[in-house]
Amino acid sequence: MDYLKLAQEIIDGTREITPDEALYILESTDDWWAIYAGAVALKNGISANEVRLNTLLNAKSGLCAEDCGYCAQSKYSEAEVETYGLIPNDEIIKKALIAKKNHASTFCIAMSGTRATMRELKVMGDALRTIKEDLNLELCVSMGLLDSEQIDYLKSVGVDRVNHNLNTPRDNYDNITTTHSYQDRIDTLDRLNEDDVNICSGFICGMGETDEQLVEMAFDLKEKNPYSVPMNFLLPIDGTKLEGRHELTPLRCLKVVTMIRYLFPRTEIRISAGREYHLAEMQNLGMLLVDSIFLGNYLTEKGDPVEKDIEAIHKHGLKIYEAVTVK
């Protein structure tokens, strides 16, 4: 196959890849680098060399009642993790100011737990309004299950999108989590769509999923029309159910990023947790395919220093997207 031609057809909107083609990308050998070259052309043809920077704040940590096997914050986890309730608004705003200083255009706020209470959202509301009005940052929140009243409130204080990851394929879900289901996740994404809020939804690679399962999940996700797709790579944290699991290679991770690029040509795709560890020497090749990256630390694990990421972006001739503040 001529992958540069395929990329151009996708750019022109006359072609989409099929599940069989997505699976072939993951399993490719002899023509792998031609496939990668097509993905670079695809990225360049739609969003050129621009990359967006996201910063993540863990605003409430630990003591989560869910049993997600990858997460140090689960009450079933024996991992050493800091636990605290919702942090004060002035601390949230301070973190947003640092994000802005580091050229981030999106500020992401996560809270541990199955669901946030309306009281917690209203306590945080003033901080969200201030960040939106004074810093002109896009706001994304990750707060578990949300009802329509909560979604409407978050929209009213300036939240741009809600993160709710599918995490792992349907047929692998019970191996990772038993306190909620894959269908619960799908239903939540449907509710977000019904309430007309942009979706940020992705997954974690390296938790025992097969290539076929990963492709099936990716096409499930495409049906939900997400605004952004974060790709995470399992960090096997000591004390969690998945500690010691190491099934990823840099090339495997790069193939996953490539497959997602072909499948979501106009969606903001992002390499997130685990990119430094698993993509390793191929991380820069991954950066050429995506629209955004997370800067700095993740929920409970550290990432690369901000300065290192920004230096890499400039070395590769990429341009950092920055929103223009209008006052």
Side-chain angles (χ1 to χ4, degrees), residues 37 42 47 66 71 114 125 129 140 145 153 161 166 170 173 192 197 201 228 238 244 247 260 274 304 327:
L42 179 56
S47 55
E66 302 295 319
C71 185
T114 302
R129 287 190 187 94
C140 179
L145 304 178
Y153 177 76
R161 66 193 65 96
L166 287 181
R170 186 185 296 273
Y173 218 84
L192 292 170
V197 60
S201 185
S228 58
D238 289 344
E247 59 186 53
I260 294 296
D304 276 342
K327 299 296 285 185

Side-chain angles (χ1 to χ4, degrees), residues 18-28 211-213 215 259:
T18 66
D20 284 345
E21 289 170 332
L23 182 61
Y24 183 81
I25 291 172
L26 297 180
E27 298 177 343
S28 58
D211 287 348
E212 291 83 1
Q213 289 172 343
V215 168
M259 184 269 286

Side-chain angles (χ1 to χ4, degrees), residues 143-296:
M143 299 176 175
L145 304 178
L146 296 168
D147 61 33
S148 293
E149 181 185 7
Q150 291 174 315
I151 292 169
D152 288 342
Y153 177 76
L154 289 169
K155 290 166 62 177
S156 76
V157 296
V159 169
D160 296 283
R161 66 193 65 96
V162 172
N163 168 264
H164 195 72
N165 292 330
L166 287 181
N167 287 331
T168 198
R170 186 185 296 273
D171 291 342
N172 194 46
Y173 218 84
D174 288 347
N175 297 324
I176 307 302
T177 307
T178 64
T179 47
H180 66 273
S181 69
Y182 184 84
Q183 190 59 46
D184 289 333
R185 294 270 173 174
I186 290 290
D187 291 344
T188 300
L189 295 183
D190 287 339
R191 187 176 306 113
L192 292 170
N193 273 325
E194 290 168 2
D195 289 317
D196 195 29
V197 60
N198 284 335
I199 293 170
C200 170
S201 185
F203 51 87
I204 306 169
C205 288
M207 299 197 295
E209 72 281 351
T210 66
D211 287 348
E212 291 83 1
Q213 289 172 343
L214 182 58
V215 168
E216 182 179 2
M217 180 183 62
F219 276 82
D220 281 352
L221 187 57
K222 188 173 180 65
E223 290 181 2
K224 306 307 171 187
N225 192 33
Y227 177 91
S228 58
V229 175
M231 289 170 285
N232 302 280
F233 307 96
L234 177 67
L235 290 169
I237 302 168
D238 289 344
T240 63
K241 178 182 176 181
L242 298 182
E243 69 174 358
R245 184 185 287 266
H246 296 280
E247 59 186 53
L248 296 173
T249 66
L251 183 56
R252 161 72 173 173
C253 295
L254 187 59
K255 286 183 177 181
V256 171
V257 176
T258 300
M259 184 269 286
I260 294 296
R261 178 77 283 167
Y262 276 100
L263 184 57
F264 292 92
R266 289 177 171 78
T267 299
E268 179 187 289
I269 67 171
R270 181 182 316 119
I271 42 175
S272 302
R275 63 179 171 87
E276 303 91 343
Y277 180 76
H278 286 293
L279 277 163
E281 66 272 16
M282 289 188 170
Q283 184 182 176
N284 292 332
L285 295 176
M287 199 174 290
L288 296 177
L289 298 182
V290 301
D291 307 284
S292 67
I293 64 169
F294 265 122
L295 279 180

Side-chain angles (χ1 to χ4, degrees), residues 23-181:
L23 182 61
Y24 183 81
I25 291 172
L26 297 180
E27 298 177 343
S28 58
T29 54
D30 293 345
D31 55 351
W32 153 244
W33 288 110
I35 295 172
Y36 175 80
V40 173
L42 179 56
K43 165 66 168 65
N44 185 66
I46 291 178
S47 55
N49 64 338
E50 193 168 75
V51 62
R52 299 165 67 96
L53 306 182
N54 294 33
T55 297
L56 177 62
L57 170 65
N58 194 8
K60 178 184 175 184
S61 178
L63 300 177
C64 178
E66 302 295 319
D67 69 350
C68 304
Y70 52 83
C71 185
Q73 298 187 83
S74 167
K75 73 176 184 179
Y76 300 93
S77 167
E78 297 178 358
E80 294 184 8
V81 62
E82 189 176 4
T83 61
Y84 49 83
L86 184 62
I87 65 176
N89 278 355
D90 60 349
E91 185 67 16
I92 294 174
I93 294 170
K94 178 182 176 181
K95 296 294 186 182
L97 284 165
I98 295 172
K100 186 75 172 182
K101 181 180 179 180
N102 288 331
H103 309 286
S105 58
T106 303
F107 187 59
C108 308
I109 302 173
M111 292 170 58
S112 65
T114 302
R115 63 175 71 244
T117 66
M118 195 65 183
R119 179 180 178 277
E120 287 174 321
L121 299 188
K122 288 187 174 180
V123 167
M124 191 189 295
D126 287 342
L128 297 175
R129 287 190 187 94
T130 297
I131 293 168
K132 190 66 180 177
E133 293 172 3
D134 293 351
L135 301 182
N136 194 33
L137 286 169
E138 293 187 14
L139 291 171
C140 179
V141 298
S142 180
M143 299 176 175
L145 304 178
L146 296 168
D147 61 33
S148 293
E149 181 185 7
Q150 291 174 315
I151 292 169
D152 288 342
Y153 177 76
L154 289 169
K155 290 166 62 177
S156 76
V157 296
V159 169
D160 296 283
R161 66 193 65 96
V162 172
N163 168 264
H164 195 72
N165 292 330
L166 287 181
N167 287 331
T168 198
R170 186 185 296 273
D171 291 342
N172 194 46
Y173 218 84
D174 288 347
N175 297 324
I176 307 302
T177 307
T178 64
T179 47
H180 66 273
S181 69

